Amino acid sequence: MTQAVATYEQYEADFRKLQEARSAEPDWLTELRSAAFARFQELGFPVARKGNEPWKYTDVRPLAAETFPYETAAAASVDAAQLFPFDDGMARVAFVNGRFSQELSTPSPDGLTVMPLTQALEEHGEDVRRHLAQHATYADEAFTALNTAFLADGAFVLAEGAVEMPLHIVYVTTERVATHPRTLIVARPTSELSVVESYVSATGGAHFTNAVTEVVLKDGAQVTHRQLLLENHETYHMANTRVHQSRDSAYRSLVYEAGGGLVRNELMVLLDAEGAEADLKGLYVSAGKQHVDNNINIDHAKPHGYSRLYYKGILDEQSRAVFGGTVMVRPGADKTDAHQEDKNLILSHEAEVDSKPALEIYADDVKAGHGATAGAIADEALFYMQSRGIDPERAMLFLVRGFVSEILDSVTIEPLREWLEESTTQALPRFRDKR
Amino acid sequence: MAVPLLEVRGLHVAVAETEILKGVDLAVSEGEVHAIMGPNGSGKSTLASVIAGKPGYTVTGGEVLYSGESILKMLPDERARAGIFLALQYPVELPGIRNREFLRTALDALRESRGEDKVGIRDFNKLLEAKAEELGLEPEMMKRNVNEGFSGGEKKRNEILQLAVLDPKLALLDETDSGLDIDALRVVAEGVNRFRGPGKAIVLVTHYQRILNYITPDFVHVLIDGRIVRSGGRELALELEKRGYDWLREGAQTGAAPSA
């Protein structure tokens, strides 16, 4: 317990320092920051226990027991080609240890405004103020509160019209620090945008990433959002993504998790107007002692909404995964069509998954379904491949690739899809360096 | 005399404590087609599966020799690379694995084990297209996942396509005819007949003699209750069609199994 106290003291000291350094920022932001930090102090880190259903299977005590400094030295140099070789042909905005990196970033493509949040406060103050912290609320979310208290550089993305070039937002960590990456994406009416948001470690060794992302889709906007969690296995990664959809907008998401030691990903999509469409896909690949927890919520607030949620997991060695998903269909959200599914492939007797999809329906004339499965590779499939001359190791690799293809085939950026496929097998030690 | 390609000697096989095969003897030489017939539950599929190395069966006695060597300790993929092929009674669906990629990987595995180079993609596609056309399978199906969404007849034809492309020495066909309409049956039989030849051997497991109208066997064996109770030529199958299996079953029960 004393260690946790030390942790809280560290956050407080860091917060005071940050407040002083940011004394020139607008009053509303100072107030937001202070309120959020006060709320974090009240809430404390969530506790895994009975009755606290969303945190029942994920214990963050090891994180609470460690301190990670917030202040960092000047950003170390980073080898982009080695750390994220998949972003050829994309625009890029990069952050190293939470600080914007001009060196690693490219100019914004046509139709897109991309800049650090600090700069956006001056140049797009109205958009920032209208949306920042409006969707990712911190009242019940300790990690969001902490992120909001510490929000600094972060990424501001504003899309207008059809943006052809995909954007890569990358947060790199090079040392033992706490970072609180904040991303705000606003897609103006009928705009089209493709974003890859990735998290990578430049080295081994623990760090703490506490990310919050807000995505706002105005009427008819279409956003394809791919979040890649690729950090090292010592890392604590807490992610909160909140999506707000207006009329006839379409949000397509892929959450890809192959990295991180203790990962908690919370994604909440609010379909807040008629005709909104959300397609959420996920792939988590875990080995060693990794723990990956996905908590995905789709909130149908208005009629004629459509949502599909499809997550898949591959677990090996002693890893553990948690899937909690809720599809909520609120009163009046009639004619909603929703489906969610979580499928797990378990390669080791020591790996474990807890999958709990749920539906809450309070409207009429709703089409909704859900399912969850967990199983090993089918003996008959393995035998079938062997009976054609394919050795068991290669057959397994084939079956694993087949399993993930349903998710990865949705990635229409070919170099990225190929990289993800390769990364998936490399994330499983039994297949490493095999083809 | 040359060593038979396949020789089964006094084979006893159990599945979870229950004895299914109770001493089966069978010798199949190159160039021959053997039909194994019998009622449901007689052990026909078990025999084919055990030869191919399918897990779940325990050999409690006897031997299976392939080119004179015991294969019972070999893994299924090792047997396949040695030239044994089993067309499954219920072909398995492989989600996310494309037919074309699957077959090319299998062919490469066989070639690799023979010390040959991998097949060129263009050569392979040409081969696959030609073989698929012979079996009336749309080229589009080669891009689809293995057996996923295929009709029963398409699955069986896909098995014969694999036989044609992989070109083994010994083909075990496990009720490849069941569930096929007459047109599909003819196409499948033609595929098997194209495979048939001097260096090849076929063991055809079937419940009905219908397919033997198209694939003329050299030998017919009747398997009842885990034993081959009678062996003969083509005419035995015709007799079975007229008289059913019961006249042999009674013989089997009294222990008066007639010899071939």
Side-chain angles (χ1 to χ4, degrees), chain A residues 56-99:
Chain A
K56 193 167 154 190
Y57 300 103
T58 296
D59 186 356
V60 296
R61 271 179 303 181
L63 169 63
E66 286 196 58
T67 53
F68 295 94
Y70 175 72
E71 283 299 327
T72 63
S77 72
V78 164
D79 184 352
Q82 194 216 324
L83 285 178
F84 32 93
F86 49 80
D87 75 352
D88 270 358
M90 301 184 196
R92 185 199 297 149
V93 58
F95 300 84
V96 179
N97 299 331
R99 300 282 170 267

Side-chain angles (χ1 to χ4, degrees), chain B residues 79-125:
Chain B
R79 299 185 201 195
R81 291 195 293 270
I84 298 173
F85 179 94
L86 170 68
L88 270 68
Q89 183 180 4
Y90 303 109
V92 180
E93 296 185 6
L94 300 175
I97 301 177
R98 289 175 217 277
N99 225 358
R100 186 202 305 244
E101 215 185 334
F102 172 56
L103 254 179
R104 188 155 61 86
T105 305
L107 182 59
D108 278 341
L110 299 177
R111 292 173 66 109
E112 215 174 287
S113 73
R114 295 194 295 251
E116 297 168 17
D117 286 341
K118 288 187 172 191
V119 62
I121 290 191
R122 217 170 277 169
D123 290 342
F124 175 77
N125 286 344

Side-chain angles (χ1 to χ4, degrees), chain A residues 379-392 394-395 398-399 401-403 405-406 409, chain B residues 53-55 76-77 80-81 85-86 88 92 94-97 102 105-106 109 112 147 159 162 166:
Chain A
D379 286 345
E380 53 175 23
L382 203 55
F383 169 70
Y384 189 47
M385 299 191 77
Q386 281 185 270
S387 76
R388 299 300 178 252
I390 302 171
D391 66 67
R394 216 180 309 185
F398 239 89
L399 291 165
R401 288 213 174 133
F403 182 79
S405 70
E406 254 188 316
D409 282 353
Chain B
K54 189 172 180 177
D77 50 303
R81 291 195 293 270
F85 179 94
L86 170 68
L88 270 68
V92 180
L94 300 175
I97 301 177
F102 172 56
T105 305
E112 215 174 287
N147 293 324
E159 293 292 285
Q162 294 176 13
L166 300 178

Side-chain angles (χ1 to χ4, degrees), chain A residues 306-335:
Chain A
Y306 174 94
S307 69
R308 288 292 178 270
L309 184 157
Y310 193 11
Y311 271 56
K312 279 189 156 189
I314 304 176
L315 288 83
D316 204 355
E317 299 178 339
Q318 297 91 42
S319 64
R320 179 130 196 229
V322 181
F323 177 85
T326 305
V327 174
M328 161 82 82
V329 183
R330 292 190 186 271
D334 301 340
K335 309 266 183 197

